[in-house]
Amino acid sequence: MAPSSYQPPTRGDKGGSATRSQTAESNLSHTQTTVAKLLEGKGDAVFSVRPNDTIHSVVDILRDKHIGAVVVTDQNGTLQGILSERDIVRRMADTPGQTLPQAVEDLMTREVQSCAPEDRLMDVLKTMTEGRFRHMPVLSDGHLRGVITIGDVVHFRLKELEYEALRMKQMIVG
């Protein structure tokens, strides 16, 4: 038995015109979203420190700015490394009471994985998940353009899903 809302086609219906509620583009749009699109909404503010700064100064920045990592740059702004809360906590466990006066260059990660503004967010998320890190600098032509976090990517994707759900509701309701 057909649902009561079902209406069989009649002679006046346009048989040749079909509508598509979904297309490959709409179903795959989230896989094409780029880092640049995320940075548009987030902004390009980057908090950086120098290699000879102390861990104590970094801890103050992390606390005051409510961030989880800082990039380490030289005097020209060239990326030298990254230092995260996790790096600091690990060192504190190894050198209790002696960590804060240490230099950033002694703790920072020197081989930093970065991404470009044109990289797809899904690829960046995969890299971050597989590498088990949460912060990634964005570089373009060797210049630091921003830093994205795994939280930024997840939040951005959730907003996309909310928007997609709203579009579907509007399509259904009319």
Side-chain angles (χ1 to χ4, degrees):
M1 175 178 211
S4 60
S5 63
Y6 173 75
Q7 296 285 325
T10 61
R11 273 190 219 194
D13 290 343
K14 298 177 183 171
S17 67
T19 61
R20 303 268 190 271
S21 61
Q22 297 182 17
T23 64
E25 181 180 303
S26 68
N27 287 339
L28 298 175
S29 64
H30 69 277
T31 63
Q32 305 304 321
T33 304
T34 63
V35 170
K37 183 78 172 163
L38 186 150
L39 285 177
E40 281 176 22
K42 178 184 179 182
D44 57 1
V46 177
F47 298 101
S48 64
V49 296
R50 301 282 181 261
N52 58 348
D53 288 348
T54 65
I55 298 304
H56 187 275
S57 65
V58 171
V59 169
D60 287 341
I61 292 169
L62 295 175
R63 179 197 62 216
D64 295 344
K65 302 298 182 185
H66 300 94
I67 56 176
V70 293
V71 292
V72 184
T73 60
D74 63 14
Q75 64 276 9
N76 299 321
T78 304
L79 183 66
Q80 301 293 305
I82 192 165
L83 183 63
S84 71
E85 292 170 321
R86 188 182 293 176
D87 297 327
I88 296 168
V89 168
R90 286 182 180 146
R91 181 58 66 98
M92 290 178 94
D94 294 340
T95 60
Q98 302 169 15
T99 305
L100 295 179
Q102 294 180 29
V104 167
E105 63 189 343
D106 296 334
L107 276 80
M108 71 182 191
T109 301
R110 293 177 189 277
E111 294 189 22
V112 181
Q113 288 210 292
S114 63
C115 60
E118 60 274 4
D119 289 347
R120 296 181 326 163
L121 276 184
M122 295 307 285
D123 295 337
V124 171
L125 183 60
K126 182 178 178 183
T127 300
M128 292 171 87
T129 302
E130 289 173 355
R132 299 183 51 83
F133 55 90
R134 299 174 295 190
H135 304 85
M136 185 180 275
V138 181
L139 297 176
S140 177
D141 298 324
H143 294 88
L144 195 56
R145 301 291 183 216
V147 175
I148 62 171
T149 68
I150 202 160
D152 294 334
V153 177
V154 170
H155 182 262
F156 187 86
R157 183 63 187 125
L158 286 174
K159 288 290 185 191
E160 280 187 328
L161 288 171
E162 286 175 7
Y163 178 72
E164 288 173 18
L166 178 63
R167 281 186 16 210
M168 289 176 67
K169 284 180 186 176
Q170 289 173 337
M171 208 169 41
I172 292 167
V173 173

